[in-house]
Amino acid sequence: MSLSHEILQGKLARCFRFYRSVDSTNDLAKDWLLAGAPDGAAIIADEQRRGRGRQGRVWHSPPGVALALSVVLRPDEEDVALVNMIGALGVYDLVRQAGCDEAGIKWPNDVQVNGKKVSGVLTENVWESDRLLGVVLGIGVNVRVDFAGTDLHASAISLEDVTQAPLDRAELIRQLLRRIDCWRGKSAKEIFLAWRRRLNMLGKLVTVNGVQGLAEDVTPSGALKIKTDKAGALLVHAGDVFDASNTWSIE
Ligand code: BTN
């Protein structure tokens, strides 16, 4: 099912811009934010040629098979950390609504289905000297991306691999934006607790940024607390976490 401005117009009661092909929706959203886009405005693309992921990685959004969108948000400065959580919670809800039961959030904000990544979230804060102008919440979802024969085959999945039925991307975008709006209406505490509940690494032995330890908890600012031994603990603010329970144990 194709995406177009007209199809989305019939579904979305919000300010949005649709593009057939862009380098990165986050870049266009940043430009729009600086030009005065209202809170909640969205940039949506059918294809990204240079999609960006966390930690400087590339994110693939080939035409016709994925969701690639970025939402301009203007939160209060103290709520910036919640944007990541809201993005992951919105996708988690979408994935569950699509019929994927085995879903979880891998810290900080990858949504996984059957232990494989179905979606990634990249938030970028836009500052003018020390004043926050806004945040771009970029979300990519694999709808029918074919990973067979690629390096990502073991770690990535598409929604249709699970549903085994065709999904309407315009409808998925409508549902996702609705879920994001819904989470934005909740308190910081509700958002944090819901995000924490859905994290699938807490209580596990993990490796993160080369450090091994127990993924003990998360903080309201979104950091991961790793217990390294009886005395030691460290807070990780960014990185990739891997399940290490099969490879070592903590005394
Ligand atoms: C990750 O590394 O997991 C984050 C991936 C984020 C990809 C999305 S797709 C829409 C938006 N535009 C980008 O260039 N990146 C984000």
Side-chain angles (χ1 to χ4, degrees):
M1 275 155 266
S2 63
L3 269 187
S4 70
H5 190 274
E6 292 65 38
I7 292 171
L8 290 165
Q9 186 90 61
K11 298 229 174 232
L12 307 181
R14 74 169 60 226
C15 190
F16 76 93
R17 290 179 181 171
F18 171 75
Y19 298 86
R20 192 137 299 290
S21 181
V22 300
D23 280 346
S24 159
T25 55
N26 267 29
D27 291 344
L28 290 183
K30 260 194 253 176
D31 292 345
W32 199 12
L33 187 157
L34 289 168
D39 178 73
I43 297 281
I44 302 166
D46 183 48
E47 174 192 18
Q48 285 188 128
R49 296 180 300 261
R50 287 192 188 80
R52 291 186 285 109
R54 288 193 306 110
Q55 314 275 321
R57 283 186 292 253
V58 170
W59 180 266
H60 300 282
S61 308
V65 296
L67 306 187
L69 65 153
S70 300
V71 186
V72 172
L73 300 175
R74 299 191 184 270
D76 292 337
E77 216 171 302
E78 68 265 24
D79 292 335
V80 162
L82 296 174
V83 175
N84 257 315
M85 301 175 198
I86 286 170
L89 285 166
V91 177
Y92 177 92
D93 289 349
L94 176 78
V95 160
R96 293 296 306 266
Q97 275 171 20
C100 305
D101 296 331
E102 287 301 313
I105 299 175
K106 183 180 170 213
W107 183 89
N109 52 21
D110 289 354
V111 176
Q112 293 188 320
V113 171
N114 298 342
K116 293 183 177 185
K117 179 162 171 168
V118 76
S119 164
V121 174
L122 178 69
T123 57
E124 295 183 284
N125 304 338
V126 182
W127 298 88
E128 184 182 60
S129 30
D130 60 352
R131 190 169 68 95
L132 180 75
L133 296 181
V135 179
V136 168
L137 168 60
I139 299 178
V141 182
N142 307 323
V143 179
R144 63 186 81 92
V145 182
D146 185 2
F147 293 106
T150 74
D151 293 350
L152 297 173
H153 181 59
S155 59
I157 194 167
S158 287
L159 283 179
E160 288 185 4
D161 293 336
V162 183
T163 63
Q164 294 292 315
L167 296 168
D168 176 351
R169 286 181 302 145
E171 180 57 22
L172 291 174
I173 290 170
R174 185 186 72 81
Q175 289 174 11
L176 175 57
L177 291 171
R178 275 190 61 179
R179 293 312 303 156
I180 287 170
D181 290 345
C182 174
W183 282 109
R184 290 190 74 203
K186 306 220 184 256
S187 70
K189 189 173 175 187
E190 284 173 304
I191 294 166
F192 169 67
L193 291 178
W195 172 73
R196 181 164 73 167
R197 242 191 334 271
R198 289 156 180 74
L199 290 173
N200 57 14
M201 290 277 176
L202 290 188
K204 290 191 178 162
L205 296 171
V206 299
T207 303
V208 58
N209 299 345
V211 176
Q212 295 185 325
L214 180 72
E216 202 173 41
D217 204 353
V218 280
T219 67
S221 67
L224 180 63
K225 192 171 165 197
I226 301 286
K227 187 175 181 209
T228 48
D229 55 35
K230 275 197 187 102
L234 86 150
L235 279 184
V236 183
H237 297 276
D240 293 311
V241 61
F242 300 98
D243 187 343
S245 42
N246 291 331
T247 57
W248 69 288
S249 63
I250 193 168
E251 289 304 309

